[in-house]
Amino acid sequence: MRVRRTLAALCTIVPLAWAATGCSDTSAGRITATRGLVFAQTISNPIHGHCHDFAPLGVDAVSNNLGIDIVLHKGPNCTDPVGRPSAYLGTTFSATAVAKLGLWRSFSTVGWPPPAAPN
């Protein structure tokens, strides 16, 4: 009888643990952003589906080390001023801003976060 209770408990707990990890609202990993040699910013595990602002003056280089893609915006609060398009940055890629178009001021996540941290 004892084996059946243990097995029943495991069959109940394991799916609940898997479901909890699969429903995470954070994107595992980090974004590293810099502005020249004078400023560096790291954002770890950003909340999925929200807009995230970079430093008030903006950044000119971004490395995406999340498990999902992001969209970089030239304006604060994930807005894009006229004539300054957003940029799509895939997982594990880096990008450098075009000086005449301005610095990136915010980013948003694209897609669904992975259930576990990427390697």
Side-chain angles (χ1 to χ4, degrees), residues 37-77:
L37 299 174
V38 298
F39 178 79
Q41 179 180 11
T42 300
I43 300 171
S44 296
N45 305 327
I47 298 173
H48 179 70
H50 288 111
C51 181
H52 301 275
D53 289 328
F54 289 120
L57 296 177
V59 296
D60 61 7
V62 177
S63 293
N64 180 4
N65 295 311
L66 299 176
I68 59 174
D69 300 346
I70 61 173
V71 176
L72 301 167
H73 299 278
K74 298 290 185 174
N77 302 317

